[in-house]
Amino acid sequence: MPIDEHLARTKRRDAALNSERLMQAAREVFARQGLSATLEDIAQHAGVGVGTVYRNFASKREIIETLYDAALDSVLADVQTALEIQDPWVAIVTFFEVTASNQAQDRGLCETFLGHDGFGPDERIAEELVAVVSPLFDRASEAGVLREGVTVTDIGPIFAMLDGVYRMSDARPDLWRRYLALILDGLRAGDRPALPVPALDVAAFKTALTAAD
Amino acid sequence: MPIDEHLARTKRRDAALNSERLMQAAREVFARQGLSATLEDIAQHAGVGVGTVYRNFASKREIIETLYDAALDSVLADVQTALEIQDPWVAIVTFFEVTASNQAQDRGLCETFLGHDGFGPDERIAEELVAVVSPLFDRASEAGVLREGVTVTDIGPIFAMLDGVYRMSDARPDLWRRYLALILDGLRAGDRPALPVPALDVAAFKTALTAAD
DNA sequence: CCTAAATGGAATGAGGCATTCCGCTTAGTG
DNA sequence: CACTAAGCGGAATGCCTCATTCCATTTAGG
């Protein structure tokens, strides 16, 4: 009973094109302006009217979820890539650089990760993030290349810090590299004093990443 | 012709009290909720009606300016205090700790400093900040305790980064100390690679601090 | 007690934005 | 080519959130 297939097959070609354009426009507009961009902005960027947006998506929220579910997966994949790097320290550095680079180019992605989207808590992100990144940190810890007391949950505040830098300098899109370098130097094992207060525990990490704004 | 004095003298005692309460309420509410707190919030916190707010201030903007002009001066004073510390490195550390501590307790203050208030650019802040903090950095530089390439303008991104941490953890009001320590370790002279990209120049620093959101 | 000062909080008005509606356009078919 | 339903644009709607204004009522202080 290929009813759906039949309907899909008869979708007009121009409609399909607009659908593509809209996805792309949403990606670009949310990346540049963040999730508070209006559907009007997106429609205009795609060269269509708002009505057309609603022919393709049920709501703004649906657009965002469609867009950033995929994005989340891609970040998780980046972590896997970093894990394949032999040197545990280089793997850590690579993980931060790749992820930060993605986020620097996509304000909507940042908001999704830091829970600054207008939606309720999404524990899934925090949960998966810890699960996937942990091995990276564990390995570095065991190899003795991580500073005493540094843990996975430090990635939350670190990405929050980098977010502050992205937003500060449209004119210098790579400024974050300077401060990430600073932070990474601080994370590396060496002859240093202990850090003054402990990192978040995993429960607090989840809360912190899902606290509404 | 003490006309004003006469009027002042005849101000009702309850009115004067409300005036005090309002100032205090505004301080507390803006500190906790940021500058987007409503006048309704403030009035309620002070135990008065909104009408009374307008008897004491012409507009929301006036309240904010009154409140944070004073706050700005006090920060500039903190810098002067740090300058009196003999050890150039300890002075730097103290400056960051005192200033960060103030900002951690006052979200409105952060927004003012980072230009996230809803008002136009206020170059004055950036200008004075550079002027006053420069000697602190110059002295540390000359003493050789600062990492190669670190400049005054690094304070902008650094405070932006710390802001990200404050907002992440209501439950851990001192978490910022951990990450400030990390950053300070990175700022200190030592056997390290050069930082990958240069700091903002002073012009870019002003732009960055006054860019609207 | 009297009265001008002060007050509370409902009402106003502006602005922003997601979502809906509907008359017009046009792709695709026979 | 003509026809028709899928698609479309974008004006209209409805909902919010807030700063600011207004005025009937209360109250300090002489």
Side-chain angles (χ1 to χ4, degrees), chain A residues 12 18 48-52 55:
Chain A
R12 272 214 234 159
N18 279 338
V48 303
V50 258
T52 304
R55 178 161 309 283

Side-chain angles (χ1 to χ4, degrees), chain A residues 82-96 133 135-146 184 188:
Chain A
L83 262 179
E84 283 160 21
I85 294 175
Q86 288 300 316
D87 182 314
W89 178 251
V90 174
I92 294 265
V93 171
T94 304
F95 162 66
F96 277 110
V133 182
L136 204 59
F137 274 68
D138 289 345
R139 194 173 56 148
S141 244
E142 281 161 25
V145 296
L146 261 197
L184 286 172
R188 197 168 192 172

Side-chain angles (χ1 to χ4, degrees), chain B residues 24-140:
Chain B
Q24 186 54 28
R27 233 189 300 279
E28 289 173 13
V29 171
F30 282 141
R32 185 177 324 285
Q33 315 187 25
L35 301 183
S36 67
T38 65
L39 296 192
E40 186 80 34
D41 283 338
I42 292 173
Q44 203 169 316
H45 194 72
V48 303
V50 258
T52 303
V53 176
Y54 281 91
R55 177 162 311 282
N56 288 278
F57 302 96
S59 67
K60 183 177 181 179
R61 178 165 192 160
E62 190 187 287
I63 304 179
I64 294 175
E65 280 170 358
T66 305
L67 227 46
Y68 289 106
D69 270 7
L72 177 56
D73 288 344
S74 99
V75 172
L76 296 179
D78 289 340
V79 179
Q80 297 296 355
T81 304
L83 261 179
E84 282 159 22
I85 295 175
Q86 287 301 316
D87 182 315
W89 178 250
V90 175
I92 293 264
V93 171
T94 304
F95 162 66
F96 277 109
E97 282 182 349
V98 171
T99 310
S101 175
N102 284 334
Q103 302 201 351
Q105 294 172 257
D106 191 336
R107 195 163 152 186
L109 185 60
C110 282
E111 288 172 10
T112 303
F113 265 82
L114 297 177
H116 294 345
D117 49 23
F119 310 130
D122 181 356
E123 304 242 331
R124 208 188 104 216
I125 294 180
E127 200 115 19
E128 291 195 27
L129 217 48
V130 170
V132 179
V133 182
S134 278
L136 204 59
F137 275 68
D138 289 346
R139 195 173 55 148

Side-chain angles (χ1 to χ4, degrees), chain A residues 45-76:
Chain A
H45 195 72
V48 303
V50 258
T52 304
V53 175
Y54 280 91
R55 178 161 309 283
N56 288 277
F57 302 95
S59 67
K60 182 177 181 179
R61 178 167 192 158
E62 190 185 289
I63 304 178
I64 293 174
E65 280 170 358
T66 306
L67 227 45
Y68 289 105
D69 270 7
L72 178 57
D73 288 344
S74 99
V75 172
L76 297 180

